[in-house]
Amino acid sequence: MSESNLAGQFFDAAIGLLQRVRDEESASVAAAGTAVADTVAAGGRLFAFGAGHSSLAAQDVVYRAGGFAVMNLLTVPGVVGVDVMPATLGSALERVDGLASAVLDSSPARAGDLLVIISLSGRNALPVEMAMNARALGLKVIGVTSVAYATETKSRHLTGTYLKDHCDIVLDSKIAVGDAELTADGIEAPFAPASTVVTSALMQAMMAAAAGELVERGIEPPLLRSGNVDGGTEWNGRVMTEYSDRIFYRH
């Protein structure tokens, strides 16, 4: 087996998944983009949440060049990436009942806002309760998940439901259960996960659709520019000042 061959196989697998979500999720991505645009146009705020490695895709749309200034990261201490030691504690916290309600109650999120919840499996208590409680508070909820988990795994929430069951819009990443695209002789476990690549692409596609929707309505999208290009810092200062009441990562 050659290392270059396996690398090529991963690229092929990732490209195949990207093409599949582009073709099969186009209507859902458009609907999600419309929901984001509706929220921005109405003066609402945007939030993104993900636990563990799902947090990477949430962070990817917060405070970045080419992104919406009004997208905020909804954080749950201990479950953002692998920033807690031991890292296994983060996985355990995803299964704790009641944590989501405590986080939402202490967050700035309110009725009329929009929350994107990212969870590959969508089976743990935290994302399920986050969606349920957010909708009860009057937030629009977009879920980014692999729907396959709902048919091939058992829910860890007391209701037996999954994230997909409590969302206004669902974006299906099409990632296979186990999140590993490759197998090879001499390697005992499946490897090369593609969920971050595909989920991040879905998030950026949704935001691109939202930008297009806003322009069609005559509204300038609240976009940030790179601080590493001339004039970028000044541009961002203007945007952040204009939308300061909807930005929470500066406080």
Side-chain angles (χ1 to χ4, degrees):
M1 131 192 24
S2 73
E3 293 179 359
S4 61
N5 183 48
L6 289 176
Q9 287 180 37
F10 175 75
F11 279 119
D12 288 343
I15 291 168
L17 282 164
L18 289 170
Q19 291 175 329
R20 185 180 174 195
V21 296
R22 178 197 63 192
D23 296 340
E24 297 179 13
E25 295 300 299
S26 59
S28 295
V29 169
T34 297
V36 171
D38 288 344
T39 303
V40 172
R45 293 86 60 80
L46 306 175
F47 297 88
F49 165 76
H53 286 93
S54 290
S55 178
L56 297 175
Q59 294 178 55
D60 193 47
V61 293
V62 177
Y63 184 52
R64 66 161 303 146
F68 279 37
V70 294
M71 178 64 82
N72 301 275
L73 187 67
L74 184 65
T75 59
V76 177
V79 304
V80 181
V82 288
D83 64 335
V84 62
M85 295 295 289
T88 50
L89 175 60
S91 298
L93 288 172
E94 291 184 57
R95 305 177 190 182
V96 174
D97 295 327
L99 182 56
S101 61
V103 169
L104 280 171
D105 288 346
S106 60
S107 79
R110 65 190 185 194
D113 292 344
L114 181 144
L115 172 61
V116 185
I117 302 175
I118 305 165
S119 174
L120 178 61
S121 72
R123 68 189 296 227
N124 288 314
L126 184 55
V128 173
E129 291 185 355
M130 190 72 76
M132 294 173 67
N133 292 337
R135 291 179 87 185
L137 290 173
L139 279 75
K140 177 83 72 173
V141 175
I142 297 172
V144 187
T145 187
S146 172
V147 173
Y149 276 83
T151 59
E152 299 181 40
T153 67
K154 182 179 179 180
S155 171
R156 290 187 174 128
H157 189 254
L158 55 87
T159 62
T161 59
Y162 296 76
L163 169 61
K164 73 175 187 64
D165 299 316
H166 304 284
C167 298
D168 297 287
I169 301 167
V170 174
L171 303 183
D172 184 4
S173 64
K174 316 293 183 181
I175 298 295
V177 173
D179 191 18
E181 294 301 317
L182 302 183
T183 58
D185 292 339
I187 301 178
E188 295 300 319
F191 58 101
S195 60
T196 302
V197 173
V198 177
T199 303
S200 293
L202 277 169
M203 294 290 288
Q204 294 296 348
M206 174 186 71
M207 300 310 293
E213 280 275 343
L214 288 170
V215 169
E216 288 182 2
R217 304 179 195 186
I219 301 172
E220 180 183 356
L223 294 170
L224 296 172
R225 291 189 174 186
S226 172
N228 294 314
V229 300
D230 292 341
T233 299
E234 293 76 16
W235 172 281
N236 292 342
R238 175 184 66 80
V239 173
M240 288 186 176
T241 298
E242 182 178 350
Y243 292 95
S244 60
D245 60 330
R246 304 195 225 176
I247 297 173
F248 302 101
Y249 49 80
R250 299 185 70 194
H251 305 319

